[in-house]
Amino acid sequence: MSEGEEYLLDKETWGQRELLEVICSRYFVLGNQGLLEVSWHVNGRDGRGPSACLRSLNRHLKQLSLIGVLDEGDPPVLSIGRLPILPMVLPSWQQALVWALVSGFVTMVGALWTTHLGPGSSPLDSSVIQSTLLTFTLPVIGSVLLASYARLFLAARFEIDSGHLIPLAFPLLSPDWPFALVAALGQLRPDLQPVPTRRSLGLIELVVPAVLFVCGTALALLGLSLTANQPPAYEAAPIALGTNFLIEILSTAWLEPDLALKLQWIHPTGLAGIGLSIVGWGLLLPIPGFPGDRILHALIGPENMTHESNQTSLFISTLAFTLLIFLSTEYWPWLLLAAIAAWRRFSPEQMPSPFVVDEYAGLDDISMRQIGSLLLVILVFGYPGLEPSYEMEDWDEGLSTDTWPAFMGFEDGQAEIELALEPAGIMPVSGWLQMRIEGPPTGGWQIDSECLDDRGVCRFDDVTQASPGSVTINLARNQDGTLQAFRLVILIDIADHVTEHGIVLQPLGRTASIDPLWVMVEDTDTPRICVELLVVEGDHVNLSNYNPFWSFENETSLGPGMHDLCMRGHQGAIQSLSMQDDQFRRIGPTITLSRANMSNDILFMAVEGTQPRLQVSDGEWRIPEWFESDSEYVIARGESGSAFCPSTGVIAEVNASGDWNRDLADRSAILMPAGETGNGTLRFDESGWLALCDGTAMLASYRVAEGPDVMVDPGTLASRMPNGEFSIVNRENASMPIALDWTGDAVAWDNWEAWAPSEVDAMASVTANASVHGSPFAWWAAWVTADEDGITLHFAARTMEGA
């Protein structure tokens, strides 16, 4: 056997550090060791840059389940670590199942929106489902799928396997979030997904929000073009949407002024588009865990991101944002978003930061401008407002009077008013307008308008926001006299929405009251009435009054400026007023405005709330026999506002034979036949007003109040009685005592006669008397009141010398 060769073996083996050092030295020029065990300050080998060398090194290390990372230093530090173990993404069949489930949720919301626009159908109808799949589900899911593939392909370009997005959606149609889609999330944690550079991180994180925003904007514009100009037949409160600046700018040029209207009943495709643009915008917010925060990481770099001053700025900005949201809106999605932002930013457990492999490469100026500009454009022009969706409250509120004037001036005895007819909500409005003049009975004003028919009523039909109407009203004075302020009262008579609007017209350049009626400040036995009086420049007036029941409370010598004119009445002051206006209010005391060496003017105004009183007991009122008439008439009732006769001539006639009863609701009316009224009983609340009408002409008007059912004939309770005998009718089921009350400084004269029986039986009447003999130099008034203590016949007389 021959002698063999000898080999020398090195007994010292390499550790992992030496192995990695040898491998890294093939690609880098290694310098001093870094802070970590396997790290060195490095420079590129063979004239190559560190970034290019890193890419080559990582192709080698990947086979060893290792990865090299460069920091931002100069020279950079190369650190070697284990390649993160990526968690398993959902299998394809599970992803398909999730997408199918979300598609079902989206379809459910879309079907509810479709039936919301068309209340006559059901969400489960096959036609509704088919329409929803085409106009809502396909746009939403298709856009998210497009964003997912765009992200997948862009990530693959940077040798990253990102996986598909997982969409999230709510299966409920809520006024605060009717869009179904909530978010589109990636399946991998950012700290376990190595990204080559900050540029690749910014582009990958930006692509999904950008695609959703662009698709949403295009779909919103398409949906707006498909939306009808007229509203659907809503049966419930509609959900109106807001939009962002970009859609508003583009649609304004395209759709002209119809954008605000169409957002109140937008097509399902438009709803899908607005929802996608909001989700895309929201994903770009710098909230930890959102793509916007990772884009911020890419823009400013990890070192600046974690710098103490920048962290403080982020904390303060987040706090300010949260407080602003909570102070500015009650929109719960924004409140939830602000709460998430604050919680994640202030949480001691920081959200994982993105894993950027080559931070040394930084972000060049061109890429920074591109990513930053697109981010800023979407955040600014995509801002959806503080309330992107809301339930409209006044969607069926009749006619809007927001643009109608409340005060106007007139001169030369003429005035012209043009009123816009626009719905207060979104539904088409049809109805009537009634107009009347309230003010001095000597005004002589006449109303003329092309829309008035033979009954003096103006009819309008199907007024909408897209097709408004207008009414021109001309007012002219046909008699001479003192020019005073007056009010044009317009009754807006729409089914379930009866309102009124008053326009006060004042003479220009003349001393006059601001309001055409005395205001009842204190409705007591000694009433107080007031009005504001404007004395124009260059004028000076002295006030005088010849009614002894009334006296001034203020100065009576008035120079230029605004003055409060108030008068205090003695007991019986209201009843001393013998004249009424067209609405059966008492005309107040006549005030003479005297001027030195100039003509005098007269203030001749009615007192508000002085219509005759009608007392109702237990919500029932029997029609008295003296209400019978040779011609038919209408009894109308309202719970508030001014008394008006019905606008329509179509009113149900009652069968007035025998015993009958009717309920009168607010703004309801019945037609009374000519002749006998039978034993009719009306039931209504013990408030509001009751009017007797012949067409639109008012025959009588009463204030309804709770009290004993007592009437006088002729006349009414608490109103001035005519001179002579009259009947007191007790319509209660119990007898009532009658008392006499004398008041005033002239009641001791021999010219007065007032008497009545001491009692009136139940369901009976008695004769009473209030008479004046001769021609006494005094003012007098007699009236009857009834309360739970009994009936009182009042008689007041005051001498003219008390004026």
Side-chain angles (χ1 to χ4, degrees):
M1 182 176 179
S2 62
E3 186 177 345
E5 289 186 43
E6 293 184 0
Y7 293 94
L8 297 176
L9 298 178
D10 190 352
K11 295 181 179 180
E12 184 179 349
T13 59
W14 282 356
Q16 184 182 38
R17 184 182 183 284
E18 288 77 8
L19 174 63
L20 295 177
E21 184 175 359
V22 170
I23 295 175
C24 293
S25 63
R26 299 173 186 172
Y27 302 95
F28 290 94
V29 175
L30 304 182
N32 296 329
Q33 181 178 343
L35 296 177
L36 301 178
E37 182 182 358
V38 188
S39 62
W40 304 269
H41 290 83
V42 297
N43 278 313
R45 183 176 290 278
D46 301 330
R48 300 172 65 196
S51 296
C53 295
L54 180 65
R55 289 193 293 271
S56 301
L57 172 64
N58 279 334
R59 292 191 187 97
H60 184 97
L61 294 179
K62 187 175 182 180
Q63 304 173 34
L64 303 176
S65 296
L66 299 172
I67 188 170
V69 177
L70 285 178
D71 70 2
E72 296 180 283
D74 188 17
V77 173
L78 172 67
S79 302
I80 308 297
R82 290 195 173 276
L83 191 66
I85 300 176
L86 296 179
M88 293 294 294
V89 298
L90 293 176
S92 298
W93 69 271
Q94 291 185 0
Q95 294 186 42
L97 185 62
V98 171
W99 278 79
L101 180 62
V102 171
S103 299
F105 289 169
V106 173
T107 303
M108 188 182 305
V109 173
L112 292 172
W113 183 264
T114 301
T115 55
H116 178 68
L117 298 178
S121 55
S122 169
L124 300 179
D125 289 348
S126 58
S127 59
V128 172
I129 298 296
Q130 292 174 8
S131 175
T132 301
L133 289 172
L134 179 63
T135 60
F136 189 73
T137 305
L138 181 60
V140 172
I141 298 302
S143 298
V144 179
L145 195 60
L146 178 62
S148 181
Y149 273 108
R151 180 175 182 267
L152 194 68
F153 293 151
L154 183 61
R157 182 179 175 184
F158 295 107
E159 300 180 358
I160 301 173
D161 183 13
S162 63
H164 273 294
L165 297 174
I166 298 297
L168 298 178
F170 283 148
L172 301 175
L173 180 65
S174 168
D176 289 329
W177 194 262
F179 312 109
L181 184 68
V182 176
L185 308 177
Q187 300 186 57
L188 300 176
R189 284 178 48 174
D191 60 329
L192 300 179
Q193 178 66 62
V195 180
T197 61
R198 286 164 53 188
R199 177 176 177 271
S200 61
L201 173 65
L203 293 175
I204 292 172
E205 297 297 340
L206 183 61
V207 65
V208 171
V211 170
L212 293 179
F213 182 80
V214 172
C215 290
T217 301
L219 288 170
L221 294 174
L222 176 61
L224 286 168
S225 67
L226 296 174
T227 303
N229 289 325
Q230 301 298 338
Y234 280 121
E235 294 180 354
I239 299 174
L241 305 181
T243 187
N244 58 51
F245 296 125
L246 181 60
I247 296 176
E248 185 175 346
I249 293 171
L250 296 176
S251 62
T252 299
W254 185 13
L255 302 173
E256 297 181 348
D258 294 337
L259 173 64
L261 304 183
K262 292 187 173 185
L263 288 173
Q264 300 170 23
W265 56 83
I266 194 168
H267 189 273
T269 302
L271 176 69
I274 292 178
L276 287 167
S277 64
I278 292 177
V279 171
W281 177 85
L283 291 175
L284 290 179
L285 294 176
I287 298 175
F290 281 35
D293 188 65
R294 296 192 283 273
I295 295 174
L296 186 64
H297 190 109
L299 289 174
I300 68 177
E303 183 176 348
N304 290 330
M305 192 75 176
T306 57
H307 194 275
E308 183 177 350
S309 61
N310 290 335
Q311 284 290 313
T312 302
S313 300
L314 288 173
F315 289 155
I316 295 175
S317 301
T318 302
L319 181 60
F321 167 76
T322 303
L323 291 176
L324 180 64
I325 292 297
F326 276 86
L327 292 175
S328 303
T329 183
E330 295 181 358
Y331 187 65
W332 70 260
W334 284 176
L335 299 178
L336 179 62
L337 206 62
I340 292 175
W343 168 59
R344 289 189 171 180
R345 187 66 71 186
F346 295 108
S347 175
E349 298 181 1
Q350 294 290 331
M351 295 296 295
S353 299
F355 187 174
V356 178
V357 175
D358 185 6
E359 295 180 351
Y360 174 76
L363 188 65
D364 60 273
D365 292 340
I366 295 177
S367 297
M368 179 177 290
R369 284 196 295 268
Q370 291 173 343
I371 296 173
S373 298
L374 185 56
L375 173 67
L376 190 62
V377 165
I378 295 178
L379 286 177
V380 173
F381 287 93
Y383 172 62
L386 290 175
E387 199 170 16
S389 63
Y390 58 93
E391 185 175 76
M392 296 187 66
E393 296 181 354
D394 302 328
W395 61 282
D396 189 19
E397 286 298 312
L399 204 65
S400 172
T401 59
D402 292 342
T403 60
W404 293 12
F407 294 92
M408 288 185 62
F410 71 90
E411 53 187 353
D412 299 328
Q414 293 184 344
E416 181 178 286
I417 305 172
E418 184 170 356
L419 304 177
L421 302 182
E422 300 172 326
I426 66 173
M427 301 304 295
V429 177
S430 300
W432 297 269
L433 298 179
Q434 284 192 54
M435 309 167 197
R436 73 180 181 211
I437 298 294
E438 293 186 353
T442 58
W445 289 94
Q446 298 295 321
I447 302 174
D448 182 38
S449 178
E450 292 182 356
C451 75
L452 294 176
D453 59 18
D454 296 338
R455 302 175 66 249
V457 176
C458 176
R459 174 71 186 182
F460 59 93
D461 292 290
D462 296 328
V463 171
T464 64
Q465 297 180 30
S467 55
S470 65
V471 171
T472 300
I473 304 171
N474 293 295
L475 303 172
R477 197 164 185 255
N478 58 10
Q479 67 184 47
D480 296 331
T482 301
L483 288 176
Q484 289 185 231
F486 66 95
R487 180 185 291 121
L488 174 65
V489 180
I490 304 170
L491 176 75
I492 306 164
D493 192 353
I494 300 170
D496 301 325
H497 298 287
V498 180
T499 57
E500 60 185 73
H501 181 82
I503 303 174
V504 175
L505 291 98
Q506 296 172 316
L508 297 176
R510 294 186 63 91
T511 296
S513 62
I514 298 299
D515 195 278
L517 299 178
W518 287 100
V519 178
M520 180 70 76
V521 179
E522 297 179 19
D523 188 6
T524 62
D525 287 341
T526 56
R528 182 171 182 256
I529 58 176
C530 294
V531 72
E532 287 185 307
L533 184 66
L534 175 62
V535 180
V536 298
E537 288 295 329
D539 195 8
H540 191 283
V541 297
N542 293 297
L543 309 181
S544 57
N545 157 53
Y546 297 100
N547 187 331
F549 280 89
W550 295 92
S551 59
F552 293 106
E553 284 195 338
N554 311 98
E555 292 291 331
T556 58
S557 180
L558 307 178
M562 187 74 71
H563 303 274
D564 288 329
L565 172 57
C566 291
M567 302 193 74
R568 174 68 72 176
H570 296 282
Q571 186 176 359
I574 296 296
Q575 290 75 20
S576 73
L577 306 173
S578 59
M579 296 183 62
Q580 294 178 325
D581 67 1
D582 294 338
Q583 285 73 52
F584 303 92
R585 289 181 289 248
R586 291 291 169 177
I587 303 296
T590 301
I591 308 300
T592 302
L593 280 64
S594 304
R595 300 177 178 88
N597 301 322
M598 294 180 64
S599 61
N600 298 338
D601 283 337
I602 301 295
L603 287 183
F604 198 51
M605 303 180 297
V607 182
E608 68 171 10
T610 54
Q611 293 92 341
R613 181 184 179 95
L614 188 71
Q615 294 189 169
V616 178
S617 177
D618 297 328
E620 292 188 350
W621 182 76
R622 295 189 310 277
I623 299 177
E625 59 183 14
W626 58 87
F627 271 41
E628 295 177 356
S629 173
D630 294 335
S631 59
E632 63 181 19
Y633 64 94
V634 172
I635 298 179
R637 179 189 170 271
E639 293 182 357
S640 60
S642 301
F644 268 92
C645 294
S647 302
T648 177
V650 182
I651 301 173
E653 181 176 346
V654 299
N655 183 1
S657 60
D659 296 333
W660 60 273
N661 56 74
R662 288 289 186 277
D663 291 327
L664 285 184
D666 184 29
R667 299 290 177 175
S668 62
I670 57 173
L671 179 62
M672 299 294 297
E676 295 183 1
T677 59
N679 297 320
T681 300
L682 302 180
R683 292 191 291 262
F684 48 84
D685 291 340
E686 298 153 345
S687 61
W689 52 263
L690 195 76
L692 308 185
C693 304
D694 179 10
T696 56
M698 193 175 300
L699 304 177
S701 175
Y702 303 93
R703 290 178 298 147
V704 177
E706 182 179 6
D709 190 355
V710 174
M711 301 189 73
V712 292
D713 180 30
T716 55
L717 282 182
S719 296
R720 181 184 180 91
M721 300 299 301
N723 187 11
E725 293 185 350
F726 57 90
S727 297
I728 299 176
V729 184
N730 176 17
R731 292 146 50 98
E732 293 287 335
N733 293 321
S735 62
M736 298 186 69
I738 300 177
L740 269 66
D741 175 52
W742 295 79
T743 184
D745 59 2
V747 294
W749 295 6
D750 296 332
N751 302 89
W752 325 119
E753 181 179 0
W755 55 263
S758 61
E759 186 180 60
V760 56
D761 293 335
M763 307 300 292
S765 64
V766 296
T767 300
N769 180 56
S771 304
V772 178
H773 305 293
S775 300
F777 194 66
W779 287 55
W780 69 277
W783 68 101
V784 176
T785 60
D787 55 29
E788 59 185 13
D789 295 327
I791 301 170
T792 303
L793 171 58
H794 303 268
F795 194 97
R798 303 197 70 84
T799 177
M800 293 289 192
E801 297 176 356

